Structure formats: C-alpha cells, structure tokens
Amino acid sequence: MSDRTPAQLSGETRAESDRLLHDALAGGKLPRWAPAAVGVVALALAAVLNLVTFVDGVAGTLVVAALLFGVLQSVWSFVVEGRRHAVDRLATTLVYTTFLLALAPLVAVLLTVIVRGLNALSVDFLLTSMRGVSPREEGGGVYHAIVGTLEQVGIAALIGIPLGVLTAIYLVEYAQQGNSKRLARAVSFFVDVMTGVPSVVVGLFVYTAAILTLGMERSGFAAALALTILMIPVVVRSTEEMLRIVPRDLREASYALGIPKWRTILKVVLPTALSGIITGAMLAVARVAGETAPLLLTTFMSQSINFNPFSGPQAALPLFVWDQFNSGTDASQDRAWAGALVLITIVMILYLAAKLVARFTGVKK
Amino acid sequence: MAKRIDVNDLDIYYGSFKAVEGVSFSVEPCSVTAFIGPSGCGKSTVLRTLNRMHEVIPGAYADGKVLLDGEDIYGSDVDPVNVRRTIGMVFQRPNPFPTMSIYENVVAGLRLEGGKRSRAELDDRVESSLRGANLWEEVKDRLNRPGSGLSGGQQQRLCIARAIAVEPAVLLMDEPCSALDPISTQAIEDLIDELKERYTIVIVTHNMQQAARVSDRTAFFNLAGVGKPGRLVEINSTDVLFSTPSQQATEDYISGRFG
C-alpha cells in the first residue's frame, strides 16, 4: 500500500478514500426547518402542560415553551450533530431568550403608556392647564407642566452641559501630570460619588442650601439647580469616554501643523467626538427630565401656568403625573397616563433632534 | 525657505528614562537625510525632538541644542507652536482629520493657526499644495468629499499636502511609507525627490533600500545595549555609508547580520 502512488490506486480504493475524506469533513446536520419544528412542538407541549398541570397563564406557558425548546433542540442536535453543535444551539437559544426578556419590559412600558395615555390626550389637553379643574372632572391639561419641564430642564442643560463638557476636557486634555493629575483623580472620584447620590438627597441639598440658607424662593430655577447637579456627573463621564477614544494621531497631526492646543481641542478633538458627546448629553437630559423627587422639594406643584422660572411655584411633567395619579379618580388617572406619554414624547423628540444635529456636524463618512 | 539644522550633544528623556544620548549632527538645507536603525534605537524620538513634538508626551524632555539656521529652538523664549509651524511633520499612519473634507484638511493648518484669509487665497494654496503632493489630478473634482474616503497612499499624500500648505522650512517624515503598498511608496518617494528642491527633509525609515534610494545622507542609530539609551553611530553621505561604513555595527546592520 505504502509503495503505491495515488495514480496506481485501483478505482475501488479511490472511491473508498473519497468516502472517508467526505465523512471526515461533513457531519450530521439537522434540517433547516428544525428550529421551527421544535418550536411548534415545544409550544404544543407547553399548551398541553397548561391544561393538565400547574403551568398557568400566558407568560408561564411561554416560559415553559422556551425551556422545552432549548432542551428538545439541544438533545436532538446532540444526537444528530454532536456536542459542539448542541452547545452552539443552546447558547443561541439563551442569547435570544435573554434579549427578548430584556426587551419585554421596555415594549410593555411603551405600549401601556401609549394605550392608556391616548384616553385623555387631545389638542386641548396640550394647550390648557389644570387651573380650576377638580380631580373628578374630565378636561384640563398639561400645558403648565410642559412649560415647567421645558424651562427647568432647559436651564439645567444650559448650566450642566457646558460645566460637564469643560470638566471632561480638563480631565482628558489638561490634567496629565504632577499636581493636576492628582486633582484630576480627586475630581474623577467625586464625579463617581455624585453619580451614585440619590436624586432625593440632591433635592434636599438644594432645599437646605439654596432655599433655607440663601433664602431663594421655591421656584422652577431651584428645581433646575437640583437637576443640574444630577446631570453634571453623567455628562462628565460620557464626554470623558468620547474624548479618550479620539486617536492621539489626530492631536499630533494638529500640533505638527503649528496649531495651538486650545484650537486643536476646539477644532479637531471636539468635532471628532461631537456625535458621542451629544448622545451622552441627551441621555443626561432624558434622565433628569423624568426626575420627580428633587422637584417635590424645590418647586411646589402648581395647577396654573407660570412662565417665570425664577418666581413662584411651577409645575413639571413628572410632578403632574404624580399629582394626578394621587388624586385617584378615573379622570385624573387618565390625565396621569397622558402626562407620562407627553413626557416620553418630549424626551424622544429632543433625542432625535440631537442625533440629527450630530449627524450633520460630526465625522464625515 | 529651506533651513539648515544643527544638533549639538542632544540627550532625550522620557521621565527619568534616558532614551537617547549624546546625538550631534547637521542637516544641510534642500537635502534629504535618512535615519535608519533597529526598532527602539531612538531614531523616531530624535526626529520628534527636531520640532519639539516629543513634548506632547507627558514627562518627555530634551537636553542639548537644536539650532535652526543658528537659532536654538529650545531657547527659553521660543514657543513650540511657532517651531512646529516652521518644521512640519508627516506621520507613520496617514491621519487626515475625519471631520473635514479634502479641501478643509489642506487648509487646516492655515485656518487653525488663526487669522483671516480670502477664499481665493485659500483656493490657490489648496491647488498648489495638492499639486506639490502629486494629488491634485486625483482629487480636484471631489475636494468637498471627506479625506477619509481616499486610499491609504492618497491619504498620506493628503497629509503631505496639509503639511506643506503652511509652507514650512523643514519637513520631518516618520516612516511615511510603512503603512503603504509598493505603488503608493513609489509615489511618495518620487514626491520626496521633488520636495527636496524647496524643503529640508529628514526621514525615518525601516527600509534600507528606501534610505539608499531617496536620501543624500544617512544616519545610523543603535542601542548600546538592552535598557541603555540609543545613540548615533555614524552619519555620512548615503553612498559612503552603504558602501564603506566606518563602524563595524553599521556594516553588520546594513549587511543584515542583525536588526
């Protein structure tokens, strides 16, 4: 055998070796319709279990079906395809299942808010306040709360985003050695601590520091201060990440052209990172737009329109939702859901607008 | 105007680590000088001290004199920003600004250094710089397209156009062809030949054939040993250094016995 060249192999032996090679390369394989078939079987089994055993309800049945699907498919695959494919299919099932589990609450929240919010939502609802509307009555609206939220979040963004972005620029671009590096470490540490401070504590701080000690009145501006404090660490962190991923090469290219550092940061580093910075800032805005606790302590709930954020109580959308929900009547509950829908929509519009701005100003593709 | 460079007894440090020791040499105006040597021998470090670019790395500093037409660029009243306007640099990896178009990339240095210039003046400078970098014919119809859309070789020529748009006296090149294919490398080498009529050029290269092809003079750098600072072994006209080197280490390196 060993002294014969391939050309001398008889036809029969050639066919034999071809078959061996084919077997070595190919393996058993489940048909393409296998996942669908297993899915149907798993659902059917789960339905039967639902009827005859303790398995109960739609959610329970689905969970059991998913478990059955994973087990059945892996066993079948193990028998036909071998261990590696069985593990692959099991892992794929797990990844998809966890993805759907993570998505479920998100979709559920959105759907619930949309469905229940549409009950009370109308043009009138957007353009009237709650002045003189009793909890039992239908009607009234959210206009005063929209004004309040836009003003408070707007002021917070005007103060918080520049402070946060400039802090991040200091941390990444300037604090590189010696004393400034130690200072940067301290700043970084406190930014981390601030991220973890509960929002109600921030509200209490503004209440004691600004309202009790400095004698500021409860107002939209006091609320905006609390929101600013909540916003800064988020903006600092996200901007810092974005600045750090701007390649060193670009900064060096700019320095090598004789461009000063501040101009390099302004014209090369920031534009390159802009899209990410805007996304981070918008996430911070979205986060504080839904804050309720600090507003309770800094601006009284109001039922009427107050355009002046510096004087007198001012409503806000989260406060409106909380207030209407607390009233407990059917009409006010509908209003609470509609208020929540308006809040989500506003945050969404702001986010999309910012994304659009980022697309036209950032890195060209 | 091309200028000459004289380096006297230069030591370069990264923090407490001495990376390069006792380097002295001269570069004539309108000539090409190549730095060769094994990795880590400090040739890029020396190049970067010639326009004070090494200072952007925290803790890095240099000790000694670097004279540009007799003026010490490490003088106490010298602004590194002005040094870099006079001594431009092209890097190993092409690095056009990703947020800018081809046009904006070329005028970046002019615009970013401040001051107002008329549109016509900028247009002229873009054309002359891109022609100078042998890129004009390829990009003249798409000046407003992003620079990152060009091929690697075109991007590197765009970076050269960007560097010569500010009209430096000296052009430093840090392995400008190491990320490029042979055709693009050829284009850059031809370009270096043309550029030396107007600029003093210093180029770091890992490729000894390239050094032999493009340079008038060649400097060989080497490490004295592991963990010891790099030093300049010898510098001579390229023909002499490659045919009859005066040092054993140089001969070993160029004949491929190490490195």
Side-chain angles (χ1 to χ4, degrees), chain A residues 277-299:
Chain A
I277 294 176
I278 289 179
T279 308
M282 285 320 297
L283 287 178
V285 166
R287 171 169 139 64
V288 301
E291 281 294 348
T292 320
L295 303 189
L296 285 173
L297 295 156
T298 48
T299 170

Side-chain angles (χ1 to χ4, degrees), chain A residues 249 252 255-256 258 263 364, chain B residues 48 81 84-85 95 98-99 112:
Chain A
D249 290 10
E252 295 205 336
Y255 294 148
R263 245 190 134 88
K364 295 194 171 71
Chain B
R48 289 166 67 93
V81 169
R84 292 177 201 138
R85 270 178 210 170
N95 51 7
T99 53
L112 300 191

